[in-house]
Amino acid sequence: MMDHSRSRPSVLLFLLVCLLSADSSWSQRTRPPSIAAAPVLVPAPAPALAPAPALAPAPAPGPSPESQCNGIYISYVIEKRERIYPITRNPADQPYSFRATATVLNHGTADLVSWTLLVPFRHDELLVSIDGGVLANGSASALPYNTTIDANVTAFSGYPNTDLKTPIETANDLTQIQAKISLVGTLFGSPPPAVPLPDFLDLGDPSYSCEPLPGFNGSGSVDRCCLRDPNYVPIPANITGYLDRRSGDLTIAYDVLQSFESNYLALVTIENHNPIGRLDHWYLSWEWARGEFISSMRGAYPTVVDSSDCIFGKQGQYYKDFDFTKVLSCKQNPVISDLTPWQYNDTNLGRIPHCCRNGSLLPTEMDQEQSISAFQIQVYKMMPDLNRSVLFPPVNWNISGSGLNPDYKCGQPIRVSPAQFPDPSGLDSESLALASWQVVCNITRPRGTSPKCCVSFSAFYNDSVVPCNTCACGCSTSNRARACNAIAPAMLLPPEALLVPFDNRTEKTLAWAEIKHYNVPSLMPCADNCGVSVNWHIVTNYEKGWSARVTLFNWREDQFADWFVAAKMEKAYPGFQQMYSFNGTKMGNDTIFMVGMPGLNYLNGETNGTRDGDPRVPGKQQSVISFTKKLTPGIDILAGDGFPSKVYFNGEECSMPDTIPTSWAFRTSRPRIFTALVSFCLLLLSSP
């Protein structure tokens, strides 16, 4: 029998040793080893491995397109496009918003002065925002801008970077050699994956020729490199280093006369150069692109005097102690009008040469002095332009008249050589402007617009008058409400019908058609809707000469002062002799210029008849004009050589008739010839 009492201590001892051993092992796992006692571990040598294959190096980035151009680099990049409402079923009518960037970068050796970028948009783009440039035609003040108005291309000019210097003279400073135009707008059609890009880009500079960059087009961008054309014959450079002044129908000069740190004094001069162009009661507008505002003016005045935009804007935050109650205009797009003649001697508003003419700009053919208008403005600047040498002109100029005048389209201002003025001291010397810019405006007829005057023809050898064309000056909604025919040819009239308004001609027209056996359409033609009409009537035709009568009719309520008419006579021009109630002169280009003599230079407006119920009476002026046949052998008056091909009233080109009166001799001879032929045939039939 085993003695269990002796074995207990040994068992207990064994258990104690196991517990101490386990505790020591646990403590070594859980306690961080002492740094001093930490053993130095020597890693065992790794087994030899086969060398890893060498990785192919990453391809180097390809050259950028601008780095491949040693001239003027231009590009157009579409950055974003997304479909917008309304959602349409026809993909061609679906609108998309887009963002694009156009770049002009000078990598050449010559400065690019007054650059223009030409972009032929072809997806009916509407430009909503333009940053870094302006539209070269000055229409950006009316955003959104419809690019379909431009017949071929839309032109952009730089602002404020109008000139781009070379990398050589700027050490490749991009702020001086590059311009970026950011565009935001809407386009139609061209759903993805197609990219709505222009077909090409070009510089509006005949001395450069632009070509595509191979391998850099068709992937969301259009890139071109423009190099100097070696065959281009440059215009001799101006010794001043600035561009020469350009010619146009109307020019506007912006000359800085005095400059201070925060403001400057400028003279604005408008000159009419078109011999048959004019403006009545002109209104001039522009856009301040750098936060400027007009403090004071002399010689003209804003149509709205308002300083609230300054008080509540950044101008008021900067000029905290400035008295804005005397500021004339803080509008970004101010509209300026001329003063009246009796304000010329006002010491605060007038006393500026060529000012205060009630906004009349006459052609030089009438009055050289009256073809110029001028005024002064005091302009305050904003940061960062507070330096007397930092000067920027306003952009997006527009000018229009309130009368029956042509439409003008203006370009952007270009820096020109400083203007010269007679020294104010009266000495035989000239003073120069500190800086000068020029804006060129030309007469244009925007797409969809109608003439404002029309011409009718008549002659002694025909009883009827060929009136103005149907809707010659446009068809209004009132015409459609009266259910008239806008495409039917105008009906021939009796001569007395020219003296009454169109609304009172119906009875006379129908009676005349019945007498003359003319066809009457089921729906009568619409009116011509012209405020002024000109009747050209052939009065006489004899062996050595002939004569005509020119009659002006004013169907408007306002009158025309110092009116003029210009008639182009290709075949009869050399034979012009004289006029009797008008002053008529030859002005070249087969054109005869006519103005009223003193006392007859006002064309009154339409007035009421003598009795109640009588038709209104138009204002009227007329004169006879005589011609000789000595200098125009072979002229055929009966065939229509005595009628003008074009007629202008106050610079506006009038609508011309589609037909001319025919000779009664030819018309009445036809029945006689027919009767003779019938008699001859009957004679042949009756003979055996």
Side-chain angles (χ1 to χ4, degrees), residues 291-303:
E292 300 96 332
F293 60 92
I294 301 174
S295 173
S296 61
M297 298 183 69
R298 293 179 62 186
Y301 216 68
T303 57

Side-chain angles (χ1 to χ4, degrees), residues 272-294:
N272 180 20
H273 301 285
N274 191 297
I276 55 177
R278 70 177 287 164
L279 278 174
D280 295 292
H281 309 291
W282 55 257
Y283 291 95
L284 180 66
S285 65
W286 59 70
E287 180 180 356
W288 295 115
R290 306 180 71 82
E292 300 96 332
F293 60 92
I294 301 174

Side-chain angles (χ1 to χ4, degrees), residues 42-101:
V42 179
L49 298 176
L55 297 177
S64 59
E66 61 268 21
S67 65
Q68 305 301 302
C69 180
N70 277 333
I72 308 299
Y73 169 74
I74 55 178
S75 71
Y76 181 92
V77 180
I78 287 288
E79 298 175 344
K80 183 181 179 181
R81 175 183 44 155
E82 60 181 353
R83 188 172 65 167
I84 59 176
Y85 287 93
I87 306 301
T88 62
R89 294 182 179 179
N90 186 358
D93 296 332
Q94 178 62 48
Y96 292 81
S97 67
F98 76 94
R99 294 178 181 272
T101 300

Side-chain angles (χ1 to χ4, degrees), residues 264-536:
Y264 63 86
L265 179 68
L267 175 69
V268 181
T269 307
I270 311 170
E271 296 186 52
N272 180 20
H273 301 285
N274 191 297
I276 55 177
R278 70 177 287 164
L279 278 174
D280 295 292
H281 309 291
W282 55 257
Y283 291 95
L284 180 66
S285 65
W286 59 70
E287 180 180 356
W288 295 115
R290 306 180 71 82
E292 300 96 332
F293 60 92
I294 301 174
S295 173
S296 61
M297 298 183 69
R298 293 179 62 186
Y301 216 68
T303 57
V304 176
V305 177
D306 185 12
S307 61
S308 60
D309 289 349
C310 286
I311 295 175
F312 300 105
K314 59 182 180 180
Q315 295 87 351
Q317 297 176 5
Y318 181 80
Y319 294 101
K320 295 181 179 180
D321 299 328
F322 195 85
D323 184 8
F324 284 99
T325 59
K326 298 180 181 180
V327 170
L328 288 184
S329 178
C330 289
K331 297 293 183 183
Q332 186 179 6
N333 300 97
V335 180
I336 312 299
S337 62
D338 198 9
L339 298 178
T340 56
W342 51 85
Q343 290 171 311
Y344 177 81
N345 291 321
D346 191 305
T347 54
N348 295 322
L349 297 176
R351 294 291 183 178
I352 299 296
H354 306 296
C355 86
C356 314
R357 290 173 178 161
N358 207 24
S360 294
L361 278 172
L362 302 181
T364 55
E365 189 75 20
M366 291 184 66
D367 192 330
Q368 180 73 34
E369 181 70 16
Q370 293 283 342
S371 66
I372 305 174
S373 190
F375 60 91
Q376 284 184 359
I377 56 173
Q378 192 80 30
V379 180
Y380 272 78
K381 303 181 292 183
M382 288 291 296
M383 288 290 291
D385 300 335
L386 297 182
N387 188 309
R388 66 180 61 199
S389 62
V390 178
L391 301 167
F392 291 100
V395 297
N396 299 333
W397 293 68
N398 285 284
I399 190 167
S400 62
S402 62
L404 194 149
N405 299 140
D407 296 313
Y408 290 84
K409 188 174 184 179
C410 301
Q412 295 295 344
I414 61 171
R415 186 75 179 268
V416 293
S417 56
Q420 299 180 354
F421 302 97
D423 194 281
S425 64
L427 298 175
D428 187 14
S429 179
E430 291 183 341
S431 59
L432 296 178
L434 297 178
S436 297
W437 288 266
Q438 184 195 43
V439 178
V440 178
C441 306
N442 289 308
I443 295 176
T444 183
R445 177 171 290 177
R447 184 184 303 176
T449 59
S450 302
K452 302 170 186 176
C453 56
C454 63
V455 178
S456 62
F457 287 157
S458 57
F460 72 90
Y461 50 78
N462 194 307
D463 297 335
S464 299
V465 175
V466 178
C468 292
N469 294 331
T470 302
C471 296
C473 298
C475 263
S476 62
T477 55
S478 60
N479 289 137
R480 292 192 289 270
R482 288 193 297 237
C484 59
N485 193 333
I487 61 175
M491 296 182 63
L492 298 179
L493 303 176
E496 64 272 13
L498 291 177
L499 301 173
V500 296
F502 185 87
D503 291 343
N504 302 96
R505 293 180 184 178
T506 303
E507 184 177 350
K508 294 180 180 294
T509 303
L510 293 175
W512 188 250
E514 184 177 358
I515 294 173
K516 295 296 184 179
H517 305 290
Y518 296 150
N519 293 328
V520 178
S522 58
L523 200 60
M524 294 291 287
C526 294
D528 55 62
N529 297 306
C530 296
V532 172
S533 60
V534 181
N535 175 248
W536 187 280

